Amino acid sequence: MGTKKVDFTIQNLGEAKIPSPIAMSLNRGDGRADYVDDNDRIIYTLDRRIVKGKVEGEEEDLLEVAGPRQKIYFNPSHVHAAICTCGGICPGLNNVIRAVVRCFWYRYGVRRISGIQYGYQGLLENAPWPLVDLTPHVVDKIQEKGGSILGNARGGGKQIDEIVDSLERLNINILITIGGDGTLRGASDIADEIGRRGLKIAVVGVPKTIDNDLLYVQSSFGVDTAVAQAVPAIRCAHAEAEGSINGIGIVKVMGRESGFIAAQASLAQSDVNFCLIPENPFDMDGPNGLLNHLKARILARHHAVILVAEGAGQELLPPSTEHDASGNVKFHDIGLYLKDQIKTYFQKEGIVCNIKYIDPSYIIRSVAADSYDSIYCARLGAHAVHAAMAGKTKMLISECNNRFVHIPIAACVASRNHVDLEGPLWRDVLENTRQPVSMKNTL
């Protein structure tokens, strides 16, 4: 993330003085799981360079380790915890809800756990949706279903006063928010207003962005499932293309500003010949444009598969003036644009081609989590509860360098996480697809 020093300090509501009801150990080697000490840290930046026999870089970015503490801030009998799922749906939402409820209930003995329906909108003053009482029985089998039992919705996150008023009125003192960039920005603003009012309410986030575009988050939950679900669509596009005269299969996947799903799916299914992501702009026309390279591929191999992230190539289309409830620009359909442009181009070139366009986005988003994401969600949810009970606030749970850690929300939303065009992931994609490093006519 460059050389700029990042403040990874985690805010606390106050000193944790209450003995945890979780029976654990303080000593290594006694066969029992250990508490995590508030002073435990891991190094964020692992990469180092040796210059003249010495290791460069003396300053380390240290991240607070997640996990249950020996002393907690909240008395479990006084806790009213709430959970909300914001933004679009994503594989694993129900898994996180289930993990949070079970950890609160079984590990800490918390008996007031409420589900907020339809994201932050459920906390607005005139929201018509009641709180949902959550118990282990209610969440028993929800991990087997896609979506969220609480419903998802965009918007509402800027009506901070109303939301904090509702938290006060409902006597909620822990809010677990599950969402992406916009959700977390809203959570940070909510925590700020809570602080201004002098309230003792913990706000803890669980990163949910299928685009995997949050900084300092090794991977958001649902990404593994999304890649796994994209693979059959790519396989079908390849079968359609291979079985047609000069067949061209186009598959569009999620990725507004970050092309992680497209990049990883290209590696998971090696039938992709062109992987188009927002980080790597391309031209359609000209000697180094996509169309000319696609023509060469078709003349040589008589079929091709294009995998495109939804945010790729938007600069080729007229600027969009529409926004969704979260304030995100509504993108044009790059898949349809590619289909139309390719069809017109090959007609002008006098080359017969058959184009099939597949958009599996909503299928990918709505499935239940796979086993990897199920495990990940269970651990994220439990760590969110441990952090909240210890009085941590304005932070989220992340996995970094294969360890679960606490990250300040401000650090995660400072900018987007992007595919590094000079990094190993994109290098491997280029090696797999054998597409040009750049499809721009001028660099």
Side-chain angles (χ1 to χ4, degrees):
M1 301 303 167
T3 58
K4 183 180 177 181
K5 186 67 177 176
V6 179
D7 185 3
F8 288 117
T9 304
I10 299 300
Q11 294 187 23
N12 294 274
L13 293 175
E15 184 181 354
K17 299 179 180 180
I18 301 171
S20 173
I22 301 176
M24 301 184 76
S25 173
L26 292 171
N27 304 308
R28 297 292 296 170
D30 61 1
R32 300 174 64 192
D34 297 333
Y35 292 112
V36 175
D37 191 280
D38 250 4
N39 294 314
D40 289 347
R41 299 288 188 276
I42 69 164
I43 299 171
Y44 170 71
T45 309
L46 295 181
D47 294 338
R48 290 292 182 271
R49 182 184 296 272
I50 297 176
V51 179
K52 295 181 179 179
K54 293 184 178 181
V55 178
E56 274 190 341
E58 296 181 1
E59 287 208 16
E60 310 287 6
D61 294 324
L62 300 179
L63 308 182
E64 185 175 285
V65 178
R69 268 53 176 174
Q70 184 184 15
K71 295 290 181 68
I72 58 177
Y73 180 79
F74 289 106
N75 183 329
S77 64
H78 298 165
V79 168
H80 181 190
I83 311 167
C84 66
T85 53
C86 306
I89 64 172
C90 170
L93 283 168
N94 281 332
N95 302 67
V96 176
I97 294 169
R98 184 173 186 265
V100 168
V101 171
R102 287 169 60 87
C103 191
F104 269 129
W105 190 281
Y106 290 126
R107 302 295 275 162
Y108 289 99
V110 172
R111 292 296 182 262
R112 295 186 68 201
I113 311 168
S114 297
I116 308 298
Q117 297 194 70
Y118 301 107
Y120 290 138
Q121 290 197 38
L123 286 171
L124 299 183
E125 184 178 350
N126 296 316
W129 311 289
L131 298 181
V132 177
D133 289 331
L134 297 175
T135 66
H137 176 73
V138 171
V139 302
D140 185 32
K141 295 181 180 179
I142 64 172
Q143 78 277 13
E144 300 172 8
K145 304 174 183 177
S148 165
I149 62 166
L150 301 178
N152 282 64
R154 301 186 186 277
K158 294 185 178 181
Q159 292 162 265
I160 304 303
D161 286 339
E162 280 189 51
I163 291 172
V164 178
D165 287 346
S166 293
L167 295 176
E168 280 196 89
R169 185 175 63 254
L170 296 167
N171 292 317
I172 291 170
N173 46 17
I174 290 178
L175 177 63
I176 307 291
T177 64
I178 307 170
D181 180 81
T183 301
L184 293 170
R185 289 180 189 276
S188 182
D189 291 341
I190 291 167
D192 284 341
E193 179 59 23
I194 287 169
R196 279 190 289 270
R197 298 189 189 188
L199 304 174
K200 299 298 184 181
I201 303 174
V203 180
V204 175
V206 178
K208 179 230 73 175
T209 165
I210 207 165
D211 292 354
N212 201 30
D213 58 0
L214 286 170
L215 286 178
Y216 308 111
V217 176
Q218 188 168 300
S219 178
S220 296
F221 72 82
V223 174
D224 188 82
T225 304
V227 171
Q229 290 295 315
V231 165
I234 298 169
R235 190 179 296 125
C236 291
H238 181 251
E240 287 280 0
E242 212 174 24
S244 303
I245 299 171
N246 294 333
I248 299 171
I250 303 171
V251 179
K252 185 182 77 172
V253 294
M254 292 79 67
R256 289 180 55 83
E257 297 184 45
S258 303
F260 287 101
I261 290 179
Q264 293 180 36
S266 294
L267 295 174
Q269 186 69 19
S270 297
D271 295 328
V272 176
N273 307 114
F274 299 94
C275 178
L276 308 178
I277 61 173
E279 295 90 336
N280 197 26
F282 60 93
D283 291 332
M284 291 297 295
D285 301 303
N288 198 38
L290 171 64
L291 292 172
N292 198 42
H293 287 293
L294 179 60
K295 174 185 172 183
R297 163 76 193 184
I298 290 298
L299 293 177
R301 299 297 302 276
H302 306 293
H303 69 278
V305 174
I306 301 171
L307 180 61
V308 58
E310 62 181 310
Q314 291 298 313
E315 68 278 0
L316 303 173
L317 295 153
S320 174
T321 58
E322 294 185 65
H323 295 77
D324 63 22
S326 296
N328 299 314
V329 174
K330 288 187 176 181
F331 286 161
H332 296 287
D333 191 329
I334 184 63
L336 288 176
Y337 173 80
L338 290 175
K339 180 181 178 182
D340 292 342
Q341 291 292 309
I342 292 169
K343 180 180 178 181
T344 300
Y345 174 78
F346 276 83
Q347 284 177 342
K348 288 181 179 179
E349 292 291 314
I351 301 173
V352 173
C353 72
N354 290 274
I355 307 171
K356 302 294 190 298
Y357 172 39
I358 301 172
D359 180 0
S361 300
Y362 288 105
I363 296 173
I364 289 173
R365 299 173 76 96
S366 60
V367 299
D370 65 14
S371 57
Y372 176 88
D373 275 323
S374 294
I375 295 168
Y376 190 31
C377 290
R379 303 185 75 187
L380 285 170
H383 281 300
V385 174
H386 295 317
M389 290 300 293
K392 310 289 181 181
T393 192
K394 208 174 177 181
M395 45 86 39
L396 58 78
I397 302 299
S398 171
E399 187 179 25
C400 189
N401 300 331
N402 297 313
R403 294 287 299 278
F404 286 92
V405 294
H406 299 158
I407 305 284
I409 290 175
C412 291
V413 300
S415 61
R416 298 277 187 179
N417 187 30
H418 295 291
V419 174
D420 181 2
L421 297 183
E422 298 180 9
L425 173 62
W426 189 243
R427 177 198 65 207
D428 293 346
V429 170
L430 294 179
E431 290 178 357
N432 218 317
T433 62
R434 300 191 298 279
Q435 70 189 68
V437 172
S438 170
M439 287 183 283
K440 294 286 290 182
N441 289 297
T442 57
L443 297 178

